[in-house]
Amino acid sequence: MKGPLDRTKVVVRHLPPTISQSVLAEQIDGRFAGRYNSVVFLPGKNSQKLLSYARAYIDFKRPEDVIEFAEYFDGHVFVNEKGTQFRTIVEYAPSQRVSKHWSKKDGREGTIFKDPDYMEFLEFLAKPVENLPSAEIQLERRELERAG
């Protein structure tokens, strides 16, 4: 577990439910551009029955940036389009683990053009479509076969 001085991931709670990720990014980048690694934004919901706040998880590059961010954004007031005020809470994220992006390449990628079944399928698609004769023509042929 990381010590209190090694924590770099925070959660910003009580964001307005209607705030978008781009608006929040503008607010953060205005003062902290280039000082964080990633932002995970979870939008809120605003319905008649339930109000759930939006929240954001931010992973900073240095613990000093976390302290400065918390001093600036903790208690920051956001106002929505109706004039309702939302006072944010900044705290360390419960889990300091940061998800890693897998860049493992699939070994089968790009090999479909060599697959015999796929090649056969392409040949089948390239053949012209042979439509069956109409029911009347088929009936006339059967009558001729019976009579002939």
Side-chain angles (χ1 to χ4, degrees), residues 55-125:
R55 64 185 185 275
Y57 295 89
I58 306 168
D59 180 41
F60 285 93
K61 294 180 180 179
R62 301 178 315 152
E64 297 85 26
D65 295 332
V66 170
I67 295 168
E68 186 180 337
F69 179 83
E71 288 173 355
Y72 183 75
F73 268 98
D74 192 35
H76 186 80
V77 176
F78 285 91
V79 181
N80 70 359
E81 61 277 352
K82 294 180 181 177
T84 308
Q85 295 182 352
F86 296 89
R87 187 174 302 276
T88 61
I89 298 172
V90 177
E91 53 191 26
Y92 286 116
S95 171
Q96 290 293 308
R97 201 175 100 225
V98 178
S99 62
K100 296 179 182 176
H101 299 286
W102 290 93
S103 61
K104 187 175 181 180
K105 186 177 179 182
D106 188 358
R108 298 172 292 181
E109 186 176 332
T111 60
I112 192 167
F113 298 108
K114 300 173 187 171
D115 185 45
D117 291 332
Y118 182 70
M119 299 299 289
E120 183 182 332
F121 173 70
L122 288 179
E123 289 173 13
F124 175 76
L125 286 179

Side-chain angles (χ1 to χ4, degrees), residues 1-20:
M1 183 172 161
K2 292 185 176 185
L5 299 176
D6 297 331
R7 296 182 189 176
T8 57
K9 187 175 173 187
V10 297
V11 59
V12 182
R13 300 182 191 275
H14 289 242
L15 291 167
T18 56
I19 194 170
S20 67

Side-chain angles (χ1 to χ4, degrees), residues 25 28-39 58-62 65:
I28 295 170
D29 286 343
R31 187 158 178 174
F32 297 95
R35 295 167 65 180
Y36 56 89
N37 295 321
S38 64
V39 174
I58 306 168
D59 180 41
F60 285 93
K61 294 180 180 179
R62 301 178 315 152
D65 295 332

